[in-house]
Amino acid sequence: MNCGQQYPVDQIIYNCATCGGLLDVQHDMDYLRKSVSRQLFDQRLGTLEAPYNSGVWRYKELIYPDVPDDCIVSRPEGNTNLYRTPRLAEWAGVAQLYLKHEGENPTGSFKDRGMTGGLTQARLLGVRRVACASTGNTSASLAAYAAWAGIEGIVFFQNQQIALGKLAQAIAYGATGIQINADFDRNLELVREVADNLGVYVLNSVNPFRLEGQKSIMIETIQQLRWQVPDWIVVPGGNLGNSSAFGKALHELKALGLIDRLPRLAIIQAEGASPLYQSYQRGLDHLDPMHAETIATAIKIGNPVNYAKAVRALHWTDGVVEAVTDQEIMDAKALIDRQGIGCEPASACSLVGVQKLVRMGIIKPTDTVVGVLTGHVLKDADAVINYHSNALDHIHANYPNQLHQSEANVEALRAILESREAILQ
Ligand SMILES: *Cc1c(COP(=O)(O)O)cnc(C)c1O
Ligand SMILES: [Zn+2]
Protein backbone atom coordinates (compact mmCIF):
# COMPACT_ATOMS: atom_id res chain seq x y z
CA MET A 1 0.00 0.00 0.00
CA ASN A 2 2.98 2.36 0.42
CA CYS A 3 5.27 1.99 -2.57
CA GLY A 4 2.99 0.42 -5.20
CA GLN A 5 5.08 -2.72 -5.66
CA GLN A 6 2.84 -5.56 -6.87
CA TYR A 7 2.85 -9.27 -5.97
CA PRO A 8 0.74 -12.12 -7.36
CA VAL A 9 -2.14 -13.23 -5.13
CA ASP A 10 -0.72 -16.72 -4.74
CA GLN A 11 2.59 -15.58 -3.24
CA ILE A 12 2.87 -16.16 0.52
CA ILE A 13 4.00 -12.79 1.79
CA TYR A 14 2.83 -10.57 4.66
CA ASN A 15 4.81 -7.38 4.12
CA CYS A 16 6.17 -5.63 1.07
CA ALA A 17 9.64 -6.99 0.29
CA THR A 18 10.69 -3.58 -0.99
CA CYS A 19 9.49 -1.19 1.71
CA GLY A 20 8.23 -3.40 4.54
CA GLY A 21 4.76 -1.84 4.32
CA LEU A 22 1.36 -3.52 4.59
CA LEU A 23 -0.17 -5.37 1.63
CA ASP A 24 -3.52 -4.55 0.09
CA VAL A 25 -5.63 -6.67 -2.22
CA GLN A 26 -5.92 -4.58 -5.38
CA HIS A 27 -9.08 -5.12 -7.42
CA ASP A 28 -9.49 -4.47 -11.12
CA MET A 29 -11.84 -1.54 -10.71
CA ASP A 30 -12.54 -1.16 -14.43
CA TYR A 31 -13.71 -4.76 -14.61
CA LEU A 32 -15.78 -4.39 -11.43
CA ARG A 33 -17.44 -1.22 -12.65
CA LYS A 34 -18.87 -3.25 -15.53
CA SER A 35 -19.84 -6.32 -13.50
CA VAL A 36 -21.42 -5.19 -10.20
CA SER A 37 -24.52 -3.21 -9.34
CA ARG A 38 -26.94 -2.74 -6.46
CA GLN A 39 -29.42 -4.90 -8.39
CA LEU A 40 -26.96 -7.80 -8.63
CA PHE A 41 -26.48 -7.83 -4.86
CA ASP A 42 -30.17 -7.28 -4.14
CA GLN A 43 -31.11 -10.26 -6.35
CA ARG A 44 -28.93 -12.51 -4.22
CA LEU A 45 -30.66 -11.56 -0.96
CA GLY A 46 -32.38 -14.52 0.62
CA THR A 47 -30.89 -17.09 -1.72
CA LEU A 48 -30.26 -20.59 -0.39
CA GLU A 49 -27.43 -21.21 -2.85
CA ALA A 50 -23.81 -21.26 -1.69
CA PRO A 51 -21.72 -19.15 -1.74
CA TYR A 52 -24.21 -16.29 -2.21
CA ASN A 53 -26.14 -17.27 0.94
CA SER A 54 -23.17 -15.88 2.89
CA GLY A 55 -23.20 -12.22 3.88
CA VAL A 56 -19.60 -12.09 2.72
CA TRP A 57 -19.78 -13.99 -0.57
CA ARG A 58 -22.98 -12.26 -1.66
CA TYR A 59 -20.47 -9.59 -2.67
CA LYS A 60 -18.01 -12.08 -4.10
CA GLU A 61 -16.89 -9.78 -6.92
CA LEU A 62 -15.80 -7.17 -4.38
CA ILE A 63 -14.13 -9.72 -2.07
CA TYR A 64 -12.33 -12.29 -4.20
CA PRO A 65 -13.74 -12.31 -7.74
CA ASP A 66 -12.28 -15.33 -9.47
CA VAL A 67 -11.96 -17.86 -6.65
CA PRO A 68 -13.71 -21.13 -7.65
CA ASP A 69 -16.87 -21.59 -5.57
CA ASP A 70 -15.80 -25.03 -4.36
CA CYS A 71 -12.67 -23.55 -2.76
CA ILE A 72 -14.66 -21.19 -0.57
CA VAL A 73 -14.60 -22.04 3.15
CA SER A 74 -17.87 -20.65 4.47
CA ARG A 75 -20.14 -21.48 7.41
CA PRO A 76 -21.90 -19.29 5.99
CA GLU A 77 -21.21 -16.04 7.86
CA GLY A 78 -22.62 -12.52 7.86
CA ASN A 79 -26.31 -11.80 7.31
CA THR A 80 -26.26 -10.21 10.76
CA ASN A 81 -29.04 -8.00 12.01
CA LEU A 82 -29.05 -4.23 11.84
CA TYR A 83 -31.11 -3.15 14.84
CA ARG A 84 -32.83 0.19 15.04
CA THR A 85 -32.47 1.13 18.71
CA PRO A 86 -34.57 4.24 19.54
CA ARG A 87 -34.04 4.01 23.30
CA LEU A 88 -30.28 3.90 22.92
CA ALA A 89 -30.45 6.65 20.30
CA GLU A 90 -32.15 8.85 22.86
CA TRP A 91 -29.53 7.96 25.48
CA ALA A 92 -26.71 8.77 23.07
CA GLY A 93 -28.42 11.94 21.83
CA VAL A 94 -28.94 11.16 18.13
CA ALA A 95 -31.98 10.97 15.88
CA GLN A 96 -31.31 7.54 14.41
CA LEU A 97 -29.05 4.90 15.89
CA TYR A 98 -28.64 1.47 14.38
CA LEU A 99 -26.51 -1.29 15.84
CA LYS A 100 -25.01 -3.77 13.40
CA HIS A 101 -24.62 -6.94 15.44
CA GLU A 102 -21.54 -8.79 14.29
CA GLY A 103 -21.79 -10.97 17.39
CA GLU A 104 -24.40 -12.87 15.39
CA ASN A 105 -21.77 -14.50 13.18
CA PRO A 106 -21.20 -18.30 13.41
CA THR A 107 -18.57 -18.09 16.17
CA GLY A 108 -19.93 -14.94 17.75
CA SER A 109 -17.73 -12.17 16.33
CA PHE A 110 -17.00 -10.31 13.10
CA LYS A 111 -13.73 -12.24 12.84
CA ASP A 112 -15.67 -14.91 10.90
CA ARG A 113 -16.05 -12.52 7.99
CA GLY A 114 -12.30 -12.24 7.82
CA MET A 115 -11.66 -15.91 8.44
CA THR A 116 -13.78 -17.05 5.51
CA GLY A 117 -11.47 -14.94 3.33
CA GLY A 118 -8.34 -16.15 5.10
CA LEU A 119 -9.16 -19.87 5.06
CA THR A 120 -10.30 -19.68 1.45
CA GLN A 121 -6.91 -18.21 0.57
CA ALA A 122 -5.21 -20.92 2.70
CA ARG A 123 -7.07 -23.58 0.72
CA LEU A 124 -6.14 -21.97 -2.60
CA LEU A 125 -2.51 -21.90 -1.52
CA GLY A 126 -2.71 -25.54 -0.45
CA VAL A 127 -1.25 -24.88 3.01
CA ARG A 128 -1.74 -27.51 5.72
CA ARG A 129 -1.41 -25.34 8.84
CA VAL A 130 -2.68 -21.89 9.72
CA ALA A 131 -1.92 -19.85 12.82
CA CYS A 132 -2.70 -16.61 14.62
CA ALA A 133 -1.97 -14.74 17.81
CA SER A 134 -5.14 -13.53 19.41
CA THR A 135 -6.84 -11.73 22.22
CA GLY A 136 -9.49 -14.46 21.79
CA ASN A 137 -12.00 -14.01 19.01
CA THR A 138 -9.58 -14.48 16.15
CA SER A 139 -8.54 -17.79 17.69
CA ALA A 140 -12.11 -18.94 18.14
CA SER A 141 -12.84 -18.08 14.54
CA LEU A 142 -9.62 -19.53 13.11
CA ALA A 143 -10.17 -22.75 15.07
CA ALA A 144 -13.68 -23.13 13.68
CA TYR A 145 -12.86 -22.30 10.08
CA ALA A 146 -9.68 -24.40 10.05
CA ALA A 147 -11.64 -27.38 11.38
CA TRP A 148 -14.35 -26.81 8.78
CA ALA A 149 -11.71 -26.68 6.02
CA GLY A 150 -9.82 -29.71 7.32
CA ILE A 151 -6.65 -27.69 7.95
CA GLU A 152 -4.68 -27.68 11.21
CA GLY A 153 -5.28 -24.53 13.27
CA ILE A 154 -2.71 -23.20 15.72
CA VAL A 155 -3.56 -20.39 18.13
CA PHE A 156 -1.31 -18.37 20.42
CA PHE A 157 -2.93 -16.89 23.53
CA GLN A 158 -1.56 -14.78 26.27
CA ASN A 159 -1.82 -16.72 29.52
CA GLN A 160 -3.95 -14.21 31.35
CA GLN A 161 -7.13 -12.22 30.80
CA ILE A 162 -8.46 -14.37 27.98
CA ALA A 163 -12.26 -14.33 28.04
CA LEU A 164 -13.31 -17.88 28.84
CA GLY A 165 -15.87 -18.21 26.06
CA LYS A 166 -13.20 -17.57 23.44
CA LEU A 167 -10.64 -19.94 24.94
CA ALA A 168 -13.32 -22.62 25.25
CA GLN A 169 -14.23 -22.28 21.57
CA ALA A 170 -10.64 -22.64 20.36
CA ILE A 171 -10.21 -25.81 22.41
CA ALA A 172 -13.59 -27.20 21.43
CA TYR A 173 -12.99 -26.70 17.70
CA GLY A 174 -9.77 -28.67 18.01
CA ALA A 175 -7.08 -26.08 17.36
CA THR A 176 -3.62 -26.56 18.78
CA GLY A 177 -3.79 -23.96 21.54
CA ILE A 178 -0.66 -22.57 23.16
CA GLN A 179 -0.73 -20.20 26.11
CA ILE A 180 2.31 -17.98 26.17
CA ASN A 181 3.68 -15.83 28.92
CA ALA A 182 3.55 -12.65 26.85
CA ASP A 183 1.00 -10.05 25.79
CA PHE A 184 -0.81 -9.97 22.43
CA ASP A 185 1.71 -7.71 20.78
CA ARG A 186 4.64 -10.04 21.59
CA ASN A 187 2.60 -13.09 20.56
CA LEU A 188 1.99 -11.55 17.17
CA GLU A 189 5.73 -11.15 16.68
CA LEU A 190 6.23 -14.77 17.72
CA VAL A 191 3.63 -16.11 15.30
CA ARG A 192 5.42 -14.34 12.46
CA GLU A 193 8.77 -15.83 13.47
CA VAL A 194 7.29 -19.31 13.78
CA ALA A 195 5.56 -18.99 10.42
CA ASP A 196 8.79 -18.30 8.62
CA ASN A 197 10.51 -21.24 10.30
CA LEU A 198 7.77 -23.87 10.37
CA GLY A 199 5.79 -23.37 7.18
CA VAL A 200 2.65 -22.03 8.81
CA TYR A 201 0.29 -19.59 7.08
CA VAL A 202 -0.42 -16.52 9.25
CA LEU A 203 -4.04 -15.44 9.60
CA ASN A 204 -3.74 -12.37 11.76
CA SER A 205 -5.26 -9.23 10.33
CA VAL A 206 -1.91 -8.38 8.73
CA ASN A 207 -3.25 -10.91 6.19
CA PRO A 208 -5.00 -8.80 3.54
CA PHE A 209 -7.45 -11.55 2.55
CA ARG A 210 -9.02 -11.30 5.98
CA LEU A 211 -9.64 -7.60 5.55
CA GLU A 212 -11.32 -8.25 2.19
CA GLY A 213 -13.88 -10.42 3.99
CA GLN A 214 -14.42 -7.82 6.68
CA LYS A 215 -15.25 -5.20 4.07
CA SER A 216 -18.61 -6.96 3.77
CA ILE A 217 -19.72 -5.49 7.13
CA MET A 218 -19.93 -2.08 5.44
CA ILE A 219 -21.43 -3.36 2.21
CA GLU A 220 -24.09 -5.39 4.00
CA THR A 221 -24.96 -2.54 6.37
CA ILE A 222 -25.45 -0.09 3.52
CA GLN A 223 -27.48 -2.64 1.58
CA GLN A 224 -29.67 -3.14 4.68
CA LEU A 225 -30.19 0.64 4.69
CA ARG A 226 -31.43 0.30 1.07
CA TRP A 227 -28.15 1.79 -0.14
CA GLN A 228 -28.74 4.98 1.84
CA VAL A 229 -25.45 6.06 3.39
CA PRO A 230 -25.57 6.89 7.12
CA ASP A 231 -23.74 9.97 8.41
CA TRP A 232 -21.50 8.02 10.75
CA ILE A 233 -20.06 4.55 11.23
CA VAL A 234 -18.75 4.01 14.77
CA VAL A 235 -16.48 1.05 15.51
CA PRO A 236 -14.17 -0.12 18.32
CA GLY A 237 -10.48 -0.11 17.38
CA GLY A 238 -7.89 -2.63 18.57
CA ASN A 239 -5.52 -3.98 15.96
CA LEU A 240 -7.40 -1.68 13.54
CA GLY A 241 -8.12 -4.37 10.95
CA ASN A 242 -11.82 -3.64 10.99
CA SER A 243 -11.43 0.14 10.70
CA SER A 244 -9.02 -0.43 7.82
CA ALA A 245 -11.41 -2.80 6.06
CA PHE A 246 -14.30 -0.35 6.51
CA GLY A 247 -12.28 2.44 4.93
CA LYS A 248 -11.32 0.30 1.96
CA ALA A 249 -14.89 -0.92 1.49
CA LEU A 250 -16.34 2.58 1.53
CA HIS A 251 -13.66 3.92 -0.76
CA GLU A 252 -14.29 1.13 -3.27
CA LEU A 253 -18.10 1.39 -3.08
CA LYS A 254 -17.81 5.07 -3.91
CA ALA A 255 -15.31 4.47 -6.71
CA LEU A 256 -17.70 1.90 -8.21
CA GLY A 257 -20.68 4.23 -7.99
CA LEU A 258 -22.57 1.94 -5.58
CA ILE A 259 -22.81 4.82 -3.07
CA ASP A 260 -22.71 8.53 -3.76
CA ARG A 261 -20.90 9.74 -0.65
CA LEU A 262 -18.89 8.33 2.23
CA PRO A 263 -20.08 8.17 5.83
CA ARG A 264 -17.60 9.48 8.40
CA LEU A 265 -15.77 6.86 10.40
CA ALA A 266 -15.36 7.16 14.18
CA ILE A 267 -12.87 4.75 15.72
CA ILE A 268 -13.27 4.29 19.47
CA GLN A 269 -10.47 2.95 21.63
CA ALA A 270 -10.29 2.06 25.32
CA GLU A 271 -8.29 4.69 27.18
CA GLY A 272 -5.82 2.11 28.44
CA ALA A 273 -5.18 0.82 24.91
CA SER A 274 -5.37 3.96 22.81
CA PRO A 275 -2.22 4.37 20.69
CA LEU A 276 -4.27 5.48 17.65
CA TYR A 277 -6.10 8.05 19.76
CA GLN A 278 -2.79 9.39 21.12
CA SER A 279 -1.47 9.66 17.59
CA TYR A 280 -4.70 11.34 16.41
CA GLN A 281 -4.23 13.97 19.12
CA ARG A 282 -0.84 14.74 17.58
CA GLY A 283 -2.22 14.98 14.03
CA LEU A 284 -1.60 11.30 13.16
CA ASP A 285 2.14 11.90 13.00
CA HIS A 286 3.28 8.40 13.98
CA LEU A 287 2.38 5.49 16.24
CA ASP A 288 3.84 5.27 19.73
CA PRO A 289 3.23 1.70 20.92
CA MET A 290 2.04 1.49 24.52
CA HIS A 291 1.47 -1.18 27.15
CA ALA A 292 -2.23 -1.96 26.90
CA GLU A 293 -4.63 -2.43 29.83
CA THR A 294 -8.43 -2.56 29.60
CA ILE A 295 -11.33 -4.74 30.66
CA ALA A 296 -12.30 -4.85 26.97
CA THR A 297 -9.81 -7.63 26.22
CA ALA A 298 -10.69 -7.77 22.50
CA ILE A 299 -9.11 -4.35 22.03
CA LYS A 300 -6.29 -4.70 24.56
CA ILE A 301 -3.65 -3.97 21.94
CA GLY A 302 -0.80 -1.50 22.30
CA ASN A 303 0.88 -1.83 18.90
CA PRO A 304 -1.80 -2.15 16.20
CA VAL A 305 -0.37 -3.66 13.01
CA ASN A 306 -2.89 -1.95 10.75
CA TYR A 307 -2.11 1.58 11.95
CA ALA A 308 -1.15 2.83 8.48
CA LYS A 309 -4.33 1.46 6.90
CA ALA A 310 -6.46 2.94 9.69
CA VAL A 311 -4.88 6.34 9.08
CA ARG A 312 -5.71 5.96 5.40
CA ALA A 313 -9.32 5.07 6.32
CA LEU A 314 -9.52 8.20 8.50
CA HIS A 315 -8.28 10.35 5.62
CA TRP A 316 -10.71 8.80 3.14
CA THR A 317 -13.72 9.22 5.42
CA ASP A 318 -12.84 12.46 7.23
CA GLY A 319 -12.81 10.24 10.29
CA VAL A 320 -12.26 10.87 13.99
CA VAL A 321 -10.81 8.89 16.90
CA GLU A 322 -12.02 8.98 20.48
CA ALA A 323 -11.09 7.15 23.68
CA VAL A 324 -13.44 5.96 26.43
CA THR A 325 -12.88 4.60 29.94
CA ASP A 326 -13.54 1.06 31.16
CA GLN A 327 -16.24 2.50 33.41
CA GLU A 328 -18.00 4.03 30.39
CA ILE A 329 -17.58 0.82 28.39
CA MET A 330 -19.14 -1.39 31.06
CA ASP A 331 -22.07 0.95 31.72
CA ALA A 332 -22.80 1.25 27.99
CA LYS A 333 -22.56 -2.51 27.65
CA ALA A 334 -25.12 -2.94 30.42
CA LEU A 335 -27.50 -0.69 28.48
CA ILE A 336 -27.00 -2.61 25.23
CA ASP A 337 -27.45 -5.90 27.08
CA ARG A 338 -30.71 -4.65 28.61
CA GLN A 339 -32.15 -4.04 25.17
CA GLY A 340 -32.12 -7.83 24.88
CA ILE A 341 -29.41 -7.95 22.25
CA GLY A 342 -26.20 -7.87 24.31
CA CYS A 343 -22.55 -7.66 23.33
CA GLU A 344 -19.09 -8.20 24.76
CA PRO A 345 -17.29 -5.32 26.49
CA ALA A 346 -15.22 -4.04 23.53
CA SER A 347 -18.35 -3.67 21.40
CA ALA A 348 -19.86 -1.17 23.82
CA CYS A 349 -17.21 1.37 22.79
CA SER A 350 -19.45 2.03 19.81
CA LEU A 351 -22.41 3.19 21.89
CA VAL A 352 -20.54 5.25 24.45
CA GLY A 353 -18.39 6.65 21.65
CA VAL A 354 -21.51 8.02 19.95
CA GLN A 355 -22.66 9.69 23.15
CA LYS A 356 -19.26 11.23 23.70
CA LEU A 357 -18.97 12.55 20.14
CA VAL A 358 -22.47 14.04 20.35
CA ARG A 359 -21.53 15.83 23.58
CA MET A 360 -18.40 17.14 21.90
CA GLY A 361 -20.51 18.51 19.04
CA ILE A 362 -18.81 16.30 16.45
CA ILE A 363 -21.79 14.02 15.76
CA LYS A 364 -24.89 16.17 15.25
CA PRO A 365 -28.14 15.25 17.03
CA THR A 366 -29.85 15.01 13.62
CA ASP A 367 -27.31 12.52 12.25
CA THR A 368 -27.98 8.90 11.36
CA VAL A 369 -25.43 6.70 13.07
CA VAL A 370 -24.52 3.03 12.74
CA GLY A 371 -22.58 1.53 15.65
CA VAL A 372 -20.92 -1.83 15.14
CA LEU A 373 -21.28 -4.44 17.88
CA THR A 374 -18.27 -6.64 17.32
CA GLY A 375 -18.84 -9.61 19.63
CA HIS A 376 -21.50 -11.71 21.38
CA VAL A 377 -22.55 -11.23 25.02
CA LEU A 378 -21.58 -14.81 25.96
CA LYS A 379 -17.96 -14.37 24.91
CA ASP A 380 -17.15 -12.82 28.26
CA ALA A 381 -19.69 -14.07 30.79
CA ASP A 382 -17.33 -13.23 33.66
CA ALA A 383 -17.48 -9.55 32.77
CA VAL A 384 -21.30 -9.68 32.93
CA ILE A 385 -21.52 -11.47 36.26
CA ASN A 386 -18.78 -9.39 37.88
CA TYR A 387 -20.28 -6.10 36.69
CA HIS A 388 -23.76 -6.87 37.97
CA SER A 389 -22.46 -8.09 41.34
CA ASN A 390 -20.24 -5.00 41.55
CA ALA A 391 -17.12 -7.12 41.79
CA LEU A 392 -14.97 -5.32 39.20
CA ASP A 393 -11.94 -3.36 40.39
CA HIS A 394 -12.26 0.40 39.82
CA ILE A 395 -15.67 0.06 38.15
CA HIS A 396 -18.99 0.93 39.73
CA ALA A 397 -22.06 -0.68 38.20
CA ASN A 398 -24.42 2.18 37.38
CA TYR A 399 -26.95 -0.16 35.77
CA PRO A 400 -26.78 -3.27 37.96
CA ASN A 401 -29.21 -6.17 37.80
CA GLN A 402 -28.44 -8.02 40.98
CA LEU A 403 -29.18 -11.71 41.27
CA HIS A 404 -31.55 -12.55 44.13
CA GLN A 405 -31.33 -15.54 46.46
CA SER A 406 -34.48 -17.05 47.88
CA GLU A 407 -35.68 -19.79 50.19
CA ALA A 408 -37.94 -22.25 48.40
CA ASN A 409 -41.28 -20.83 49.49
CA VAL A 410 -43.86 -18.43 48.12
CA GLU A 411 -43.55 -15.91 50.94
CA ALA A 412 -39.86 -15.39 50.34
CA LEU A 413 -40.48 -15.10 46.59
CA ARG A 414 -43.30 -12.63 47.15
CA ALA A 415 -41.02 -10.42 49.25
CA ILE A 416 -38.46 -10.31 46.44
CA LEU A 417 -40.93 -9.73 43.63
CA GLU A 418 -42.83 -7.01 45.49
CA SER A 419 -39.67 -5.15 46.36
CA ARG A 420 -38.50 -5.50 42.76
CA GLU A 421 -41.78 -4.09 41.52
CA ALA A 422 -41.13 -1.09 43.73
CA ILE A 423 -37.67 -0.67 42.20
CA LEU A 424 -38.91 -0.91 38.63
CA GLN A 425 -41.65 1.70 39.07
C1 LIG B 1 -11.09 -8.15 17.14
C2 LIG B 1 -12.12 -7.44 17.89
C3 LIG B 1 -12.14 -6.03 18.00
C4 LIG B 1 -11.06 -5.18 17.43
O1 LIG B 1 -11.02 -5.17 16.04
P1 LIG B 1 -9.71 -4.72 15.26
O2 LIG B 1 -9.95 -5.08 13.87
O3 LIG B 1 -8.58 -5.49 15.88
O4 LIG B 1 -9.55 -3.26 15.52
C5 LIG B 1 -13.18 -5.41 18.67
N1 LIG B 1 -14.15 -6.14 19.24
C6 LIG B 1 -14.17 -7.49 19.18
C7 LIG B 1 -15.26 -8.22 19.85
C8 LIG B 1 -13.17 -8.16 18.50
O5 LIG B 1 -13.20 -9.50 18.47
ZN1 LIG C 1 6.28 -1.46 -0.62
Side-chain angles (χ1 to χ4, degrees), residues 84 87 97 99 163 187 191 225 231-232 281 409 423 425:
R84 210 170 67 83
R87 284 177 296 214
L97 178 67
L99 294 177
N187 281 345
V191 101
L225 292 170
D231 298 301
W232 288 92
Q281 297 289 81
N409 64 66
I423 294 168
Q425 269 166 8

Side-chain angles (χ1 to χ4, degrees), residues 233-248:
I233 301 287
V234 185
V235 63
N239 220 1
L240 304 176
N242 228 13
S243 326
S244 303
F246 289 11
K248 188 169 188 282

Side-chain angles (χ1 to χ4, degrees), residues 338-386:
R338 278 191 68 167
Q339 301 302 304
I341 59 179
C343 66
E344 70 165 279
S347 310
C349 284
S350 299
L351 177 63
V352 70
V354 176
Q355 189 193 54
K356 202 158 193 177
L357 290 166
V358 170
R359 288 186 176 163
M360 293 168 73
I362 296 172
I363 294 182
K364 292 197 290 298
T366 50
D367 283 346
T368 296
V369 181
V370 175
V372 179
L373 300 183
T374 45
H376 194 279
V377 65
L378 287 178
K379 289 285 192 173
D380 195 346
D382 281 343
V384 177
I385 302 294
N386 289 334

Side-chain angles (χ1 to χ4, degrees), residues 108-111 135-138 166 205 210-211 214 235-244 267 298-299 301 306 344 346-347 373-376 379:
S109 84
F110 73 80
K111 301 298 197 300
T135 62
N137 281 333
T138 303
K166 307 176 186 182
S205 60
R210 268 192 52 196
L211 300 196
Q214 287 169 217
V235 63
N239 220 1
L240 304 176
N242 228 13
S243 326
S244 303
I267 304 174
I299 50 174
I301 293 173
N306 290 299
E344 70 165 279
S347 310
L373 300 183
T374 45
H376 194 279
K379 289 285 192 173

Side-chain angles (χ1 to χ4, degrees), residues 33-349:
R33 222 169 261 119
K34 281 176 269 166
S35 48
V36 301
S37 63
R38 293 179 181 180
Q39 289 81 343
L40 174 72
F41 299 138
D42 284 348
Q43 275 162 19
R44 291 177 184 164
L45 282 174
T47 183
L48 300 175
E49 301 302 320
Y52 302 120
N53 58 351
S54 155
V56 174
W57 298 101
R58 178 182 316 130
Y59 316 104
K60 185 180 176 199
E61 292 80 358
L62 305 184
I63 309 293
Y64 203 152
D66 43 19
V67 54
D69 286 353
D70 60 2
C71 284
I72 291 177
V73 182
S74 174
R75 287 284 306 275
E77 47 293 310
N79 293 309
T80 58
N81 286 301
L82 180 68
Y83 295 98
R84 210 170 67 83
T85 53
R87 284 177 296 214
L88 296 177
E90 194 184 326
W91 180 83
V94 284
Q96 294 279 4
L97 178 67
Y98 295 87
L99 294 177
K100 175 68 170 160
H101 206 330
E102 288 299 301
E104 296 174 347
N105 273 291
T107 77
S109 84
F110 73 80
K111 301 298 197 300
D112 294 344
R113 298 206 190 231
M115 248 357 123
T116 185
L119 261 299
T120 297
Q121 177 66 5
R123 189 181 263 174
L124 284 168
L125 295 169
V127 302
R128 296 212 313 275
R129 312 168 100 185
V130 293
C132 70
S134 173
T135 62
N137 281 333
T138 303
S139 301
S141 186
L142 179 141
Y145 278 77
W148 194 230
I151 291 173
E152 184 190 352
I154 303 166
V155 297
F156 286 19
F157 290 108
Q158 58 196 103
N159 58 3
Q160 11 176 341
Q161 281 187 305
I162 290 287
L164 211 54
K166 307 176 186 182
L167 185 60
Q169 283 179 294
I171 295 170
Y173 298 138
T176 302
I178 307 173
Q179 284 197 308
I180 300 171
N181 188 15
D183 64 8
F184 170 82
D185 299 296
R186 174 69 188 132
N187 281 345
L188 185 52
E189 288 168 9
L190 284 169
V191 101
R192 301 284 294 274
E193 287 170 32
V194 169
D196 291 344
N197 292 316
L198 298 177
V200 174
Y201 187 54
V202 178
L203 283 177
N204 275 97
S205 60
V206 63
N207 186 308
F209 297 96
R210 268 192 52 196
L211 300 196
E212 288 306 297
Q214 287 169 217
K215 288 191 319 194
S216 64
I217 301 170
M218 280 305 95
I219 314 171
E220 188 174 273
T221 298
I222 292 174
Q223 185 176 30
Q224 284 169 315
L225 292 170
R226 315 284 194 277
W227 304 101
Q228 299 300 302
V229 178
D231 298 301
W232 288 92
I233 301 287
V234 185
V235 63
N239 220 1
L240 304 176
N242 228 13
S243 326
S244 303
F246 289 11
K248 188 169 188 282
L250 295 166
H251 183 75
E252 289 171 354
L253 288 174
K254 174 84 172 24
L256 294 171
L258 289 164
I259 56 175
D260 49 16
R261 65 183 179 96
L262 268 60
R264 295 180 71 186
L265 187 64
I267 304 174
I268 315 298
Q269 297 205 290
E271 239 174 48
S274 55
L276 178 69
Y277 175 69
Q278 310 292 334
S279 167
Y280 178 74
Q281 297 289 81
R282 297 186 309 257
L284 293 169
D285 55 352
H286 67 275
L287 181 77
D288 259 342
M290 65 189 282
H291 173 74
E293 277 307 331
T294 168
I295 191 168
T297 52
I299 50 174
K300 204 181 114 193
I301 293 173
N303 189 13
V305 289
N306 290 299
Y307 170 77
K309 286 185 179 174
V311 169
R312 183 178 67 175
L314 290 167
H315 286 313
W316 275 338
T317 62
D318 189 19
V320 302
V321 187
E322 196 41 63
V324 296
T325 64
D326 282 6
Q327 174 73 54
E328 291 171 314
I329 289 172
M330 290 308 290
D331 281 332
K333 171 179 147 54
L335 292 173
I336 295 165
D337 292 353
R338 278 191 68 167
Q339 301 302 304
I341 59 179
C343 66
E344 70 165 279
S347 310
C349 284

Side-chain angles (χ1 to χ4, degrees), residues 1-5 7 15-23:
M1 69 168 282
N2 294 342
C3 73
Q5 176 71 40
Y7 302 90
N15 284 98
C16 176
T18 308
C19 76
L22 294 167
L23 301 173

